[in-house]
Amino acid sequence: MTKKKAHFLGFIQHGVSSHATGMWRHPKDKVGWDYASPPYWHHLGQTLERGLFDAIFIADELAPYNTYADSSDTTVKYAVQFPTHEPSTIVPVIAGATRNLGIGVTLSTAFEHPYSMSRRLSSLDHLTGGRLAWNIVSSYSKSEWDAYGSTMPDRSLRYERLHDYIDLCKKLWSSWDEGAIVADKVSGVYADPSKVREINHDGPFFKCRARHFVSPSPQGNPVLWQAGSSDAGRDFAAEHAEAIFAIHPTVERMRAYSEDLKNRLVTRFSRPANSVKLIYGVQVVVGETRAEAEEKYEFIRSLVPKEGSLAMISGQLGVDFSQYDPDRPLADIAVPGIQGVKDALVESGAGKTVTIGEAAQTYSLRFSMPALVGTPADIADQLEDFMDRGGADGFMLLATYTPGCFEEFVDLVVPELQRRGRYRTAYTGTTLRDNLRQTD
């Protein structure tokens, strides 16, 4: 029986830190690199492409977290995903330095109309030669709504609004028919109006009467990524996504999620069971020996500031944890933020009670992803288990110090996976969608 080959994405942010708080303190972080300048992004993209990654995944947060103590002071003080630059601005920079690497950009639907969003994404798909993905998010962090001077809408409307949003984007992307561009210099006719359909959308949240302003891009539309964890979120992902990013602390939870998503694909949306790639998050710390890797990981853990970690989890879960004893069990706290994050953190203790303080440190370092710490063979063993027992199609690698953590993975783990026949040895496609579908 042919064994499944892994797909890899590199999780990064356009800022000082890429989620893992305090990494700017690491003596190997961005040595000789300026994250705000193109050479850093050229090198990072080329490193991932050298490792045959499907894509770089650019995460985002729209404003500094301000839930903790009703202020963003702690966020600023400890560089908790701060500062963070706008993510789509580096897409052409990375694309210009690579030929095959896909580029996934996180863009929120909360504060931009679908018409301008679809136009921007089509433009970026052109500029990348068909290597763009869109990670669809809807902004459920209080700080983001405060920054835009808006009131956060009722959570129950979140996915109703998202469905209307994506429906309009898809209508626009598919509105140019084949042969629409005539480009007849003699007659002066450039495009056939009958083949560039005007969209008249009158949805519950959005209205639009216009033609899509961008000619069809190489992929037609960007690859759609989603991270649904709630019941409604899983349905949305199963209906629309081509790849799903999920965070589960154990192989058992990965397996349960995989089975649930495949069931929804088939029974609710009549899509093939394997038509969506399931990408699970992991944080990798690799060493030549297990002892070396464990020493590296303990040092990385020591860099996470306690108060900064509480500011981060407060922002994500929508609870001011400055008002709680950090030794109180997280399970006891009701959260208005991302429920799936809380659930994964509660279960990250493998049966033990997880306190607020423990959850904050875990989240600020690795969400609640498994930490894979060991030799290249150790890491490959665990990744194989997540594929074979957990149903993973691939993995999102959460950064620690950059670009070193990705360089080490490419130099040490990738050859081990290739030796085992569990990873590609070349790109075979011309677009990101092609490479995500690659199985050989």
Side-chain angles (χ1 to χ4, degrees), residues 222-240:
V223 173
L224 300 181
W225 287 346
Q226 231 278 315
S229 55
S230 66
D231 185 64
R234 293 184 187 204
D235 268 354
F236 181 85
E239 181 175 1
H240 297 288

Side-chain angles (χ1 to χ4, degrees), residues 229-269:
S229 55
S230 66
D231 185 64
R234 293 184 187 204
D235 268 354
F236 181 85
E239 181 175 1
H240 297 288
E242 297 172 73
I244 297 173
F245 169 38
I247 299 171
H248 296 292
T250 65
V251 68
E252 291 78 16
R253 276 203 51 169
M254 291 179 191
R255 165 55 61 187
Y257 186 89
S258 299
E259 292 175 350
D260 179 60
L261 257 295
K262 289 181 179 181
N263 179 64
R264 291 172 193 252
L265 285 167
V266 174
T267 62
R268 299 189 186 184
F269 302 105

Side-chain angles (χ1 to χ4, degrees), residues 10-80:
F11 185 104
I12 202 80
Q13 282 186 271
H14 188 187
V16 170
S17 299
S18 294
H19 181 81
T21 309
M23 292 306 104
W24 62 273
R25 305 166 61 194
H26 198 290
K28 291 185 177 181
D29 188 67
K30 300 179 184 68
V31 177
W33 297 107
D34 176 5
Y35 76 88
S37 297
Y40 172 71
W41 297 104
H42 293 165
H43 176 75
L44 198 54
Q46 290 166 353
T47 297
L48 298 186
E49 185 164 81
R50 178 165 64 84
L52 303 175
F53 277 46
D54 287 77
I56 185 170
F57 179 104
I58 309 169
D60 194 32
E61 182 72 22
L62 293 179
Y65 298 122
N66 65 4
T67 305
Y68 185 78
D70 194 29
S71 169
S72 57
D73 283 357
T74 304
T75 298
V76 172
K77 183 177 181 179
Y78 294 108
V80 180

Side-chain angles (χ1 to χ4, degrees), residues 42 46 90-99 101 103 127-128 131:
H42 293 165
Q46 290 166 353
I90 57 170
V91 171
V93 174
I94 298 169
T98 57
R99 296 185 61 186
L101 184 72
I103 305 164
L127 291 172
T128 60
R131 293 185 279 143

Side-chain angles (χ1 to χ4, degrees), residues 2 26 40 55 84 122 135 138 272 312 341 398 421 424:
T2 302
H26 198 290
Y40 172 71
T84 297
S122 290
N135 178 38
S138 58
M312 175 177 269
V341 170
L398 184 63
R424 62 164 63 107

Side-chain angles (χ1 to χ4, degrees), residues 107 204 315 363 392 411:
L107 295 171
Y363 186 81
D411 292 337

